[in-house]
Amino acid sequence: MTNSLRRPVIATDSDTVAGALTALIGAGSWPRPPLVRQVGAGSLAAPPGEEAILAVPTTSALLTARAAHDRLYVVDETGDTAGSVRRLVDLVTNARRVTPSRAEYGMHAAYGAALRSAAWRGGVGAALTDDRGDVVALGTAEVPAYGGGQYWEGDPGDARDIRLAGDPATAVRLATVETLLDLLAAGGVSLPGPAATVAADLLAAFDKQQGSHGVGHGGAAAQTFESLGRVVHAEMAALLTAARNRLDIGGSTMYVTASSCRQCLRHLVCAGLRQIVYFGPRLDSAPPFHADSVDVRADAPGRLRLTPFTGVGPGAYQALFGAQMREFSVARI
């Protein structure tokens, strides 16, 4: 690959992906075949001295919301694995002109929306698309502003949490847990220390386990803590933008840079969406609290489908498709 990456290197922590790449490259005839490097399981680090695209399967634990910033290519190992890795090799070698898929375009739009978020728990973005793949509404995780929408950088009276130097949800949930501990102590339960200290320690441990400050993207039992904050979630912001613009979104697809929390998921079901494409590990089954209306299977009729994202991740989008544009367009200008 030219320009954006110094050399065509594909790194992977998956034996399956490494095998598919090695077989494909060995049987191919690329002028400069990419080098395949295996890295340690669960590692985002490229081999020393090399800039690499990291190829991971949809089951990889590396697929966190934070990994959306990294140069990832997500391989569909449950479908056409050979076709998926061939497309990656064609991209990094510029063997043929490759342009973004609907999913890659939609997720990149969602990622762009995520970048305008200064939420304390990390930015999430959402892009709502019609049945042709055109983006009709965007949303980010941010504080709402009077008149509709959310605050932008430079707005007069900017009252985002980042400007107020605090997250109300963090303070209120700490006070809530401390109150519960005080009630336990009043009932005769012996605490290992002062309620305030124990509450802080418990929440710190919980945050570390969930990986999302006690909120979690669909997996935290204490999801209600999030309702204590001021931030409107990205999915909800996209729905509200569509509503303000009087858009019919029935049957639409939403791309989200993380798995939707249960609060957002129930509203997405109610909005009549057809599919949610999320950046994250493949789910084994639908969330039990919406098993009647949500499914992870492609062949489940009458259900909102939860689909893991595959293809060029948003963090690799500009490098790969930008190099493609330079390679195949410069000669025509």
Side-chain angles (χ1 to χ4, degrees), residues 238-288:
L239 290 183
L240 292 169
T241 296
R244 288 199 312 276
N245 290 302
R246 299 178 174 84
L247 299 177
D248 180 2
I249 60 172
S252 299
T253 294
M254 180 175 284
Y255 296 90
V256 190
T257 60
S259 296
S260 296
C261 73
R262 62 184 63 182
Q263 294 191 57
C264 284
L265 186 58
R266 67 190 182 203
H267 288 90
L268 297 177
V269 171
C270 192
L273 268 62
R274 178 180 64 87
Q275 178 179 218
I276 301 171
V277 179
Y278 60 92
F279 191 91
R282 181 183 299 275
L283 298 174
D284 294 328
S285 61

Side-chain angles (χ1 to χ4, degrees), residues 48-75:
E50 295 180 341
E51 292 187 23
I53 296 295
L54 182 61
V56 300
T58 58
T59 53
S60 176
L62 295 176
L63 292 174
T64 64
R66 188 177 298 275
H69 305 299
D70 296 302
R71 294 189 178 198
L72 292 181
Y73 182 92
V74 186
V75 176

Side-chain angles (χ1 to χ4, degrees), residues 116 138-145 148-152 155 160 231-234 237-238 241 244:
R116 65 167 284 225
L138 296 171
T140 190
E142 196 48 89
V143 174
Q150 296 156 294
Y151 285 106
W152 285 87
D155 278 356
R160 292 176 294 170
V231 167
V232 175
H233 286 199
T241 296
R244 288 199 312 276

Side-chain angles (χ1 to χ4, degrees), residues 49-257:
E50 295 180 341
E51 292 187 23
I53 296 295
L54 182 61
V56 300
T58 58
T59 53
S60 176
L62 295 176
L63 292 174
T64 64
R66 188 177 298 275
H69 305 299
D70 296 302
R71 294 189 178 198
L72 292 181
Y73 182 92
V74 186
V75 176
D76 182 7
E77 80 289 0
T78 66
D80 183 10
T81 302
S84 184
V85 298
R86 175 178 287 278
R87 185 168 182 270
L88 171 58
V89 173
D90 286 343
L91 274 166
V92 301
T93 61
N94 287 327
R96 64 181 178 89
R97 187 70 166 100
V98 181
T99 57
S101 66
R102 285 182 173 86
E104 290 163 339
Y105 180 75
M107 190 59 74
H108 184 254
Y111 179 71
L115 294 181
R116 65 167 284 225
S117 169
W120 289 106
R121 294 185 176 89
V124 175
L128 192 61
T129 66
D130 61 19
D131 56 3
R132 293 184 56 82
D134 294 327
V135 176
V136 297
L138 296 171
T140 190
E142 196 48 89
V143 174
Y146 173 75
Q150 296 156 294
Y151 285 106
W152 285 87
E153 178 79 16
D155 278 356
D158 183 353
R160 292 176 294 170
D161 289 342
I162 193 69
R163 298 294 178 231
L164 303 181
D167 176 12
T170 298
V172 175
R173 75 186 187 126
L174 179 61
T176 300
V177 175
E178 186 176 344
T179 298
L180 291 173
L181 291 172
D182 283 334
L183 290 172
L184 289 173
V189 176
S190 178
L191 301 179
T197 302
V198 175
D201 291 344
L202 285 172
L203 287 171
F206 184 69
D207 287 349
K208 184 177 180 180
Q209 179 184 3
Q210 295 296 333
S212 186
H213 297 280
V215 178
H217 295 294
Q223 195 80 44
T224 51
F225 279 134
E226 180 65 3
S227 65
L228 303 174
R230 304 170 65 226
V231 167
V232 175
H233 286 199
E235 299 95 319
M236 295 301 300
L239 290 183
L240 292 169
T241 296
R244 288 199 312 276
N245 290 302
R246 299 178 174 84
L247 299 177
D248 180 2
I249 60 172
S252 299
T253 294
M254 180 175 284
Y255 296 90
V256 190
T257 60

Side-chain angles (χ1 to χ4, degrees), residues 9-49:
V9 179
I10 302 173
T12 182
D13 67 342
S14 166
D15 292 336
T16 300
V17 174
L21 283 166
T22 301
L24 176 67
I25 294 168
S29 57
W30 287 274
R32 291 184 65 232
L35 301 174
V36 178
R37 301 280 193 250
Q38 273 202 268
V39 296
S43 172
L44 280 173

